[in-house]
Amino acid sequence: MDQRPVLVLDFGAQYAQLIARRVREVGRFSEIVPGSASAGEISARNPAALVLSGGPASVYASDAPSLDPKIFELGVPVFGICYGFQAMAQALGGDVAQTGSREYGATGLEVAAIDSRLFAELPEEQQVWMSHGDAVERAPAGFRVIGRTPGAPVAAFEDVDRQLAGVQFHPEVVHTQHGQQILRTFLLDIAGLEPNWSTAGIIQTQIQGIARQVGEGQAICGLSGGVDSAVAAAMVQRAIGDRLTCVFVDHGLLRAGEREQVERDFVAATGVRLVTVDAADRFLSALSGVSDPEEKRKIIGREFIRVFEAAEADLIAESDERGDSIGFLVQGTLYPDVVESGGGSGTANIKSHHNVGGLPEDLEFALIEPLRTLFKDEVREVGEQLGLPGEMVWRHPFPGPGLAIRIVGAVDAERLEILRAADAIVREELTAAGLDRTIWQLPVVLLADVRSVGVQGDGRSYGHPIVLRPVTSEDAMTADWARLPNELLARVSSRITNEVPEINRVVLDITSKPPGTIEWE
């Protein structure tokens, strides 16, 4: 079976990861590499095809990302998108120029060759998503122009014999009507690839690889309760059984029922050995009187490291007594983490206040990162296939510092209970409405240092406002506020103000990202 990857050459595109995900949706494994990679470097990775991404630069700018023209001599199918389309045209002898007109957003595309392979069985007129100033004015020799728009005389071309094609628009975004079909046609028809990659295949491959890597050794995993660490731990447990120990630190900043979910449901689904450390009092003491969000984060990260180190030291001492010392650390690293860190190589460098929380420099482990080639949606698929509880697999992203950064103001036990009660109501109603999976996240924020006048019962109240922050997103880099049904919002507001006496006002945050962030602190 052909397991060669499709490489996405990244020229600074905001959508490079999305392109890679779309390629995987076609059924081919994809990886992102720098657009500056040489033909030799690309050849060494033995790709099945190349996709040249978009980017913000002009191909004529002195600092424009470079494209090695020798990649077209490798005999590998190539598909260019936006900037990648222009760089491809220029490298092969076509003309790219500033036409004086720009196209941004939804644009009408006219198919200029009804018998084209790339647009086979698609409408002759269709909506595409444009974002360009320069345009290809003349296609390279051997290419046929197959699409045009008002601002791009050459909006798409193909050379089927050489398995080369490109488009000025962005087929990877949902705003392009038939974008996924265009990518599929290039990869499966023009490039001649077979759709042979799936998350199901990844599971068995990873389990076998982990078993070989660990051998008869022992591993430890910092379990946060989130989907990434849960799926990573479940996969490793499948590979090495009770030689994996998970450490769950309850810092007292979790939402209602989350500790029970980990201790009961996760253990029941996986059979993993779990050690729970109850450190709520320690964290609350350290956070006492602290209102600054960055200071909260630093305190939580510091305390997390110390608590985990102590639990880790106990486990290492136990394993040393048995003569089977712990030599491996499981980490829920995802592919976006690898890409954004420039490759993800090196020693353990765990994010502050996330998963484990950090490790001392003199404590060496070999890393096990079974999810490092996967995107978040793929991790969820793997979690389902491993039999994890749906509530855990589809859990909305939750910040490492927990509810501490959803309280605007100082954190104490009373404020945490107020926020937990309101948050539980919101989650319960969202689930009842069947909308859990249609939004990315719904932070519930307590404005602890703000009071508003209200009327509750027969008297005047002076309570706190609660902010609802529902958002839709694909990767949390950008987000839009979710348009929840008015009936749902009304039920949530009524229940919170009736069931949580300290709250007398519920407000809705309708800010996109940018300019606002998803979390308030």
Side-chain angles (χ1 to χ4, degrees):
M1 183 183 294
D2 181 7
Q3 297 291 335
R4 295 176 299 156
V6 173
L7 298 184
V8 177
L9 275 64
D10 182 10
F11 294 101
Q14 60 177 321
Y15 296 132
Q17 290 187 29
L18 184 54
I19 295 170
R21 286 175 56 190
R22 296 290 185 249
V23 171
R24 295 185 186 192
E25 288 170 11
V26 171
R28 291 297 302 204
F29 182 66
S30 61
E31 293 182 299
I32 300 172
V33 299
S36 58
S38 69
E41 291 170 331
I42 291 171
S43 179
R45 300 178 75 109
N46 192 28
L50 305 177
V51 179
L52 313 181
S53 85
S58 165
V59 293
Y60 288 110
S62 58
D63 58 350
S66 59
L67 169 68
D68 186 347
K70 291 183 179 179
I71 68 170
F72 299 105
E73 300 172 10
L74 298 176
V76 176
V78 182
F79 184 69
I81 295 174
C82 194
Y83 178 90
F85 171 66
Q86 296 174 6
M88 181 178 184
Q90 186 182 61
L92 292 171
D95 293 329
V96 182
Q98 291 186 328
T99 61
S101 64
R102 299 187 176 193
E103 289 179 315
Y104 294 103
T107 305
L109 173 80
E110 176 190 350
V111 176
I114 59 174
D115 60 341
S116 75
R117 290 275 288 278
L118 194 63
F119 296 127
E121 300 181 9
L122 295 182
E124 293 181 33
E125 295 184 358
Q126 51 191 278
Q127 287 288 109
V128 299
W129 191 259
M130 286 285 198
S131 180
H132 72 99
D134 297 349
V136 177
E137 287 192 322
R138 184 178 62 84
F143 282 81
R144 184 166 62 146
V145 177
I146 58 173
R148 63 174 67 93
T149 67
V154 182
F157 56 42
E158 66 183 18
D159 183 340
V160 175
D161 291 339
R162 288 192 290 168
Q163 297 177 302
L164 305 176
V167 295
Q168 180 61 67
F169 54 87
H170 289 274
E172 71 274 18
V173 302
V174 296
H175 307 86
T176 294
Q177 284 181 319
H178 305 285
Q180 187 63 5
Q181 180 59 43
I182 291 168
L183 275 174
R184 183 180 182 84
T185 297
F186 175 78
L187 292 170
L188 304 189
D189 183 16
I190 297 176
L193 307 183
E194 292 291 329
N196 57 18
W197 184 87
S198 69
T199 54
I202 276 287
I203 294 174
Q204 194 58 36
T205 300
Q206 284 294 334
I207 288 174
Q208 292 171 351
I210 293 165
R212 286 194 300 269
Q213 180 184 4
V214 177
E216 295 301 316
Q218 299 274 332
I220 187 173
C221 176
L223 196 64
S224 70
V227 62
D228 303 339
S229 64
V231 173
M235 194 177 290
V236 174
Q237 197 276 338
R238 286 279 185 96
I240 66 173
D242 61 8
R243 287 181 288 115
L244 169 69
T245 301
C246 290
V247 176
F248 174 61
V249 177
D250 182 358
H251 49 30
L253 307 171
L254 300 169
R255 296 178 294 186
E258 290 190 318
R259 173 170 172 168
E260 293 76 12
Q261 183 183 82
V262 172
E263 292 183 321
R264 181 191 63 233
D265 299 341
F266 181 72
V267 172
T270 63
V272 76
R273 181 190 179 204
L274 179 68
V275 174
T276 299
V277 181
D278 190 339
D281 290 343
R282 174 174 183 158
F283 278 82
L284 276 179
S285 176
L287 289 167
S288 179
V290 178
S291 297
D292 180 76
E294 284 308 307
E295 186 63 22
K296 289 181 191 176
R297 291 177 182 272
K298 290 177 182 177
I299 290 170
I300 294 167
R302 181 193 69 213
E303 294 303 314
F304 213 122
I305 292 170
R306 291 174 178 173
V307 172
F308 186 83
E309 282 177 357
E312 183 182 64
D314 290 342
L315 290 171
I316 290 173
E318 289 178 15
S319 66
D320 286 344
E321 287 180 9
R322 297 192 305 266
D324 53 1
S325 60
I326 298 172
F328 298 88
L329 174 69
V330 180
Q331 198 171 339
T333 308
L334 302 192
Y335 191 54
D337 301 326
V338 176
V339 173
E340 289 162 12
S341 66
S345 60
T347 58
N349 181 22
I350 300 171
K351 296 176 183 176
S352 169
H353 58 254
H354 180 70
N355 288 336
V356 177
L359 290 172
E361 293 181 0
D362 59 350
L363 201 58
E364 297 276 337
F365 288 101
L367 283 182
I368 303 174
E369 298 175 301
L371 311 179
R372 66 180 285 114
T373 64
L374 301 180
F375 290 100
K376 175 73 81 172
D377 53 340
E378 295 167 339
V379 171
R380 295 191 196 281
E381 291 179 21
V382 169
E384 287 189 322
Q385 292 165 27
L386 290 171
L388 296 186
E391 295 82 2
M392 182 168 283
V393 171
W394 291 96
R395 177 185 191 252
H396 288 175
F398 187 62
L403 296 179
I405 60 165
R406 291 184 178 175
I407 295 176
V408 180
V411 179
D412 59 34
E414 180 183 1
R415 289 176 171 183
L416 283 167
E417 285 308 308
I418 293 170
L419 181 53
R420 273 196 196 96
D423 178 85
I425 290 170
V426 173
R427 288 191 289 147
E428 182 180 316
E429 290 294 338
L430 192 69
T431 299
L435 297 176
D436 278 329
R437 301 188 187 185
T438 64
I439 69 171
W440 174 265
Q441 209 170 341
L442 205 171
V444 179
V445 182
L446 174 65
L447 304 185
D449 289 344
V450 177
R451 296 272 187 168
S452 67
V453 176
V455 178
Q456 290 174 296
D458 295 326
R460 181 175 181 270
S461 68
Y462 196 48
H464 298 288
I466 275 282
V467 180
L468 308 181
R469 175 67 166 137
V471 296
T472 58
S473 180
E474 286 196 328
D475 52 14
M477 299 300 291
T478 60
D480 192 14
W481 64 279
R483 276 65 168 173
L484 298 180
N486 289 338
E487 297 79 6
L488 171 61
L489 294 172
R491 284 197 305 275
V492 167
S493 177
S494 177
R495 283 195 60 190
I496 289 177
T497 53
N498 277 282
E499 297 175 32
V500 188
E502 298 87 352
I503 298 172
N504 66 357
R505 194 175 297 271
V506 178
V507 299
L508 180 67
D509 183 346
I510 59 170
T511 313
S512 62
K513 177 189 178 181
T517 55
I518 293 177
E519 299 287 350
W520 271 49
E521 290 205 334

